[in-house]
Amino acid sequence: MRGHEKTAKLMTKILVDGVEVDVPPELTLLQACEAAGAEIPRFCYHERLSIAGNCRMCLIEVKVGGKSGPKPVASCAQQVKDLPPPRDNLLNELVTKSPGVKKAREGVMEFLLINHPLDCPICDQGGECDLQDQSMAYGRGGTRFDLNKRAVEEKFMGPLVKTVMTRCIQCTRCIRFATEVAGVPELGATGRGEDMEVTTYLEAALSSELSANVIDLCPVGALTSKPYAFNARPWELSKTESIDVMDAQGCNIRVDARGDAVLRVLPRVNEEINEEWISDKARYAEDGLSRQRLDRPYVRENGKLRAASWGEALAATAKALSGDAKKIGAIAGDLACAESMKATLDLFRALGSPNIDCRPDGAKIGVGARQGYLFNATIAGIDEADAIALIGTNPRLEAPVLNARIRKAWLRGAEIGVIGEAADLTYRYAHIGAGADSIARLGGFADVLKQARRPMVIVGQGALTRADGAAILRAVGKLAAGLCKAGWNAFNVLHTAAARVAGLDMGFLPGAGGKGASEMLKGGMDTLFLLGVDEVALPKAGTVIYLGTHGDAGAHRADIILPGAAYTEKDAIWVNTEGRVQLGRRATFPKGEAKEDWTILRALSGVLGKTLPYDSLDALRAKLIADHPSFGQVGYAPGQAEAVSFDPAQEGGEGKLGAEPLRSPIADFYLTNPIARASRTMAECSRLRAGPERVAAE
């Protein structure tokens, strides 16, 4: 009851169009109106950006003591607590539908359209344009301005963002996003009044990994998608909600397709994971889904691959897997879904092979309690953190959206410390040291972590894939254990592979006496089954079976190729770095003769005489959840509160921390997987990011 009374005291009672509502005093008048169900038009205001108050479209009337003020008020720029005290026992009232408000909005819209060209028939924003919609709802039926419209030169912002700056209404959303959220202040304005222009610094390409989010923010057609330009209208596209697999954050996306082609990828709002942002790679690697695809089975004969039927390919695969169980093994790659890994796991266990691993990079992780490999504080927990230690990770390259969340915490006062390479992370930090041995001597940052109310320690794959990765894991676990508090686990692992946590959850790890991925890749295996493995060096001897989507490194080495389905071509389960189970949906069908991965493995099991006990996706998922209950907790981030300790015996002895510099495993953000490497857009982004030296060399 006391808590309820305390909450009630924090609320302010006002009227919105005659309806009485209780709202927190920190809300803006615009938010208060929307909390009461009133719709307020806006162009410059955005919930995640600072308030500019320069479009004036959100004008409302404020009545104090029953009387309106001398002029309309910009509702985005004033808070409820700024209202004067009620007079004459009458509550303050916000009026959004009066004739005065209607006339004021029509006037503002008229001014906004003075110089805006009539490009709607040829503008890519047509059909989903805020200016178009709001001019219909709140504008006048005609114009009183007959003078020539101004023209503005186009700006170069790189290969992703197309500019038609004559359409710009100077809302400054793009400038505020680049400066505040992305942390790369490369956008700004020059000139004043009618001469004002939004531009980049020296007209250089935007360097942020989140740059294309300005397209979603732009309320007009000034900034649109360059790769998507003139490809389709929004009403032509089928829209499918899915999950991004370009990193391990599991950002929520919408896949827009027409026919069998994915034409664009857009973000979906999920406050606990990606808010409403996605990385440029998640958005623009989609053209790689249609290039260099494996669309039929292949079998190598006389040193050359030839097209084969499914019957031939499965028979050859079964023959290769029918030998000594100790001499065959399976490795799952970074883009493998949970269903395909479960089918592979069940098949190889039925064959009696202990050589199974989902860590092709050799990460020393996955043995022991589940919280030993999760982002335990959760992604949303970063908002509460007041001290963050980054060890062997560059989140700007490994998870750009998560890095933006760390930046948001830094803007609120969180202190950041880094052990590893001194890279530009878009926020200031204390560089503790370059080598892993710095974990044992944090210096002054140790006191920062101890005094913090919500400390976080984030360890990346750059630390865990080293020879001393197990020792680093134990050292980080010991450090984090001393920082854990009631309901708060400071230990966090930032994965880079979308498949990794699901594989660890189902135990896709070597069995008793079995070999890990690193050992199998050194050679000595008769047959190696690769489930989309492309990022590692493959052995030259033995038979290699590759089940994947693209003609990348794995397919080039393979003796048998089984074409699978990409993440947009199948219903699949993905588990992100915090252990949250999410469902991806099929937007298009697999290319050519390609099949969904689990169906290939189910058919293969029949040829091998080890028929898997499921004939449908639902049956496979039922067995997956029965064997591993965590997969049934869809949309739930466990947020493990218990501290974790690591047994040296489990990870290969004590070991010492090395002094060699820790480095991120990602050298080129744009070319991290087969889909991205097949993308022309990502290739152009990589070329520009490499700098003039590489461009000149080419």
Side-chain angles (χ1 to χ4, degrees):
M1 189 68 183
R2 290 179 180 176
H4 175 75
E5 292 173 357
K6 184 178 180 181
T7 303
K9 291 178 182 178
L10 295 176
M11 305 296 278
T12 299
K13 197 180 295 293
I14 60 173
L15 296 174
V16 178
D17 292 331
V19 178
E20 186 177 301
V21 293
D22 289 326
V23 294
E26 294 78 18
L27 291 188
T28 63
L29 301 186
L30 186 152
Q31 292 171 315
C33 291
E34 293 198 330
E39 182 178 344
I40 306 295
R42 84 293 296 270
F43 292 114
C44 69
Y45 175 79
H46 193 277
E47 290 81 357
R48 303 187 198 281
L49 304 176
S50 62
I51 293 171
N54 53 10
C55 79
R56 319 308 284 182
M57 195 63 204
C58 62
L59 294 174
I60 62 172
E61 284 185 24
V62 177
K63 288 186 177 181
V64 181
K67 296 181 180 180
S68 296
K71 60 181 180 180
V73 172
S75 59
C76 71
Q78 184 173 328
Q79 294 179 308
V80 172
K81 64 183 179 182
D82 296 327
L83 294 173
R87 299 176 189 168
D88 303 328
N89 294 323
L90 294 175
L91 294 175
N92 292 328
E93 182 176 5
L94 310 181
V95 182
T96 69
K97 300 177 182 178
S98 70
V101 170
K102 182 176 183 295
K103 184 177 180 181
R105 291 176 179 169
E106 287 177 350
V108 169
M109 182 62 71
E110 209 169 3
F111 277 114
L112 289 174
L113 294 175
I114 289 175
N115 286 307
H116 192 79
L118 298 176
D119 283 352
C120 295
I122 59 161
C123 177
D124 268 338
Q125 200 87 332
E128 46 193 7
C129 173
D130 292 345
L131 185 65
Q132 202 174 57
D133 296 341
Q134 293 185 39
S135 64
M136 287 291 293
Y138 302 102
R140 291 167 51 90
T143 180
R144 294 177 289 176
F145 293 90
D146 299 321
L147 300 177
N148 292 331
K149 295 179 181 289
R150 73 169 186 167
V152 180
E153 290 184 1
E154 309 311 344
K155 306 296 187 293
F156 175 72
M157 294 189 183
L160 305 181
V161 182
K162 180 187 176 199
T163 65
V164 184
M165 301 312 294
T166 301
R167 302 172 187 161
C168 180
I169 62 171
Q170 290 89 40
C171 71
T172 69
R173 279 186 181 182
C174 56
I175 297 173
R176 285 175 282 149
F177 172 83
T179 303
E180 299 165 11
V181 179
V184 182
E186 297 172 338
L187 282 173
T190 62
R192 299 186 65 185
E194 193 176 56
D195 296 325
M196 179 179 172
E197 297 182 18
V198 173
T199 182
T200 57
Y201 180 68
L202 296 181
E203 297 216 10
L206 297 174
S207 65
S208 171
E209 294 77 13
L210 302 171
S211 64
N213 286 288
V214 300
I215 296 168
D216 299 330
L217 289 172
C218 184
V220 297
L223 305 177
T224 55
S225 172
K226 189 175 286 187
Y228 174 72
F230 310 122
N231 276 351
R233 287 297 194 184
W235 53 83
E236 301 176 51
L237 305 173
S238 61
K239 303 168 178 64
T240 307
E241 295 185 349
S242 192
I243 305 299
D244 171 48
V245 300
M246 295 295 129
D247 56 40
Q249 187 170 350
C251 295
N252 287 208
I253 58 174
R254 192 187 84 193
V255 180
D256 288 0
R258 184 176 59 192
D260 65 347
V262 174
L263 295 186
R264 66 175 179 178
V265 172
L266 298 175
R268 287 190 291 129
V269 176
N270 188 317
E271 299 293 347
E272 296 183 334
I273 302 175
N274 60 302
E275 298 179 303
E276 60 185 270
W277 320 121
I278 56 172
S279 72
D280 293 346
K281 183 167 55 178
R283 188 186 298 263
Y284 285 119
E286 43 76 25
D287 65 316
L289 291 167
S290 59
R291 294 192 174 94
Q292 299 181 17
R293 288 299 301 271
L294 301 173
D295 58 359
R296 65 185 65 182
Y298 288 88
V299 175
R300 191 177 297 276
E301 286 185 356
N302 300 321
K304 293 184 178 181
L305 289 170
R306 67 163 180 86
S309 67
W310 271 109
E312 286 181 288
L314 291 177
T317 303
K319 181 179 178 181
L321 293 175
S322 298
D324 183 359
K326 295 182 179 180
K327 289 287 187 177
I328 63 173
I331 305 176
D334 294 350
L335 301 184
C337 63
E339 290 87 348
S340 63
M341 286 190 287
K342 177 60 176 172
T344 304
L345 180 65
D346 288 348
L347 176 59
F348 274 75
R349 282 180 174 171
L351 292 172
S353 173
N355 308 312
I356 302 169
D357 205 347
C358 65
R359 305 165 298 180
D361 56 4
K364 314 299 190 296
I365 198 167
V367 178
R370 193 179 186 217
Q371 61 263 38
Y373 55 83
L374 294 184
F375 202 95
N376 295 293
T378 72
I379 295 170
I382 295 174
D383 294 344
E384 303 177 40
D386 48 358
I388 303 174
L390 302 175
I391 301 174
T393 179
N394 182 337
R396 181 174 176 180
L397 299 181
E398 297 167 26
V401 179
L402 185 141
N403 190 62
R405 203 142 194 167
I406 295 176
R407 173 178 166 78
K408 184 168 68 170
W410 172 75
L411 288 172
R412 291 175 175 172
E415 295 190 56
I416 316 292
V418 171
I419 296 177
E421 55 189 338
D424 179 8
L425 300 180
T426 72
Y427 40 81
R428 289 193 298 273
Y429 57 82
H431 190 231
I432 301 168
D437 53 348
S438 298
I439 300 173
R441 49 176 195 274
L442 294 175
F445 201 77
D447 295 331
V448 173
L449 289 172
K450 289 178 182 178
Q451 296 169 9
R453 187 177 58 86
R454 287 284 189 263
M456 291 181 70
V457 179
I458 303 176
V459 61
Q461 302 307 298
L464 302 179
T465 54
R466 294 172 22 136
D468 59 349
I472 293 175
L473 185 65
R474 288 191 295 276
V476 173
K478 183 178 179 181
L479 171 64
L483 301 173
C484 292
K485 303 179 181 182
W488 182 263
N489 190 335
F491 178 80
N492 303 279
V493 177
L494 179 56
H495 291 277
T496 56
R500 186 63 50 83
V501 174
L504 297 177
D505 279 348
M506 70 177 68
F508 202 103
L509 297 168
K515 296 180 179 180
S518 298
E519 194 173 356
M520 284 189 275
L521 291 170
K522 291 178 182 177
M525 306 295 290
D526 290 342
T527 303
L528 197 56
F529 186 91
L530 304 179
L531 190 60
V533 178
D534 294 279
E535 277 67 52
V536 294
L538 299 173
K540 296 181 180 180
T543 301
V544 173
I545 304 162
Y546 179 81
L547 196 168
T549 60
H550 285 72
D552 209 278
H556 280 287
R557 167 60 187 89
D559 299 294
I560 303 170
I561 295 176
L562 307 175
Y567 74 104
T568 57
E569 299 163 0
K570 57 186 175 183
D571 292 318
I573 290 175
W574 306 95
V575 186
N576 75 348
T577 191
E578 58 183 350
R580 189 189 302 267
V581 178
Q582 300 187 97
L583 301 178
R585 304 291 184 187
R586 182 175 62 197
T588 60
F589 288 92
K591 306 295 182 187
E593 298 178 30
K595 310 290 183 185
E596 292 188 32
D597 302 359
W598 77 268
T599 63
I600 298 172
L601 291 157
R602 170 63 177 79
L604 176 61
S605 70
V607 178
L608 283 164
K610 304 288 185 179
T611 305
L612 295 174
Y614 31 77
D615 296 320
S616 67
L617 183 63
D618 289 341
L620 169 54
R621 286 180 172 174
K623 188 172 190 308
L624 175 64
I625 295 170
D627 293 347
H628 317 284
S630 64
F631 285 93
Q633 301 172 336
V634 178
Y636 169 72
Q640 302 284 353
E642 300 83 10
V644 60
S645 60
F646 297 94
D647 182 1
Q650 290 179 318
E651 293 290 348
E654 287 288 352
K656 294 184 179 180
L657 299 176
E660 300 82 11
L662 296 171
R663 299 189 183 279
S664 171
I666 296 179
D668 191 330
F669 167 74
Y670 298 103
L671 304 177
T672 56
N673 59 61
I675 299 173
R677 286 191 288 272
S679 166
R680 290 179 181 173
T681 306
M682 292 296 97
E684 177 65 12
C685 290
S686 174
R687 187 181 70 89
L688 284 175
R689 179 63 63 87
E693 295 81 5
R694 174 171 154 185
V695 175
E698 293 176 354

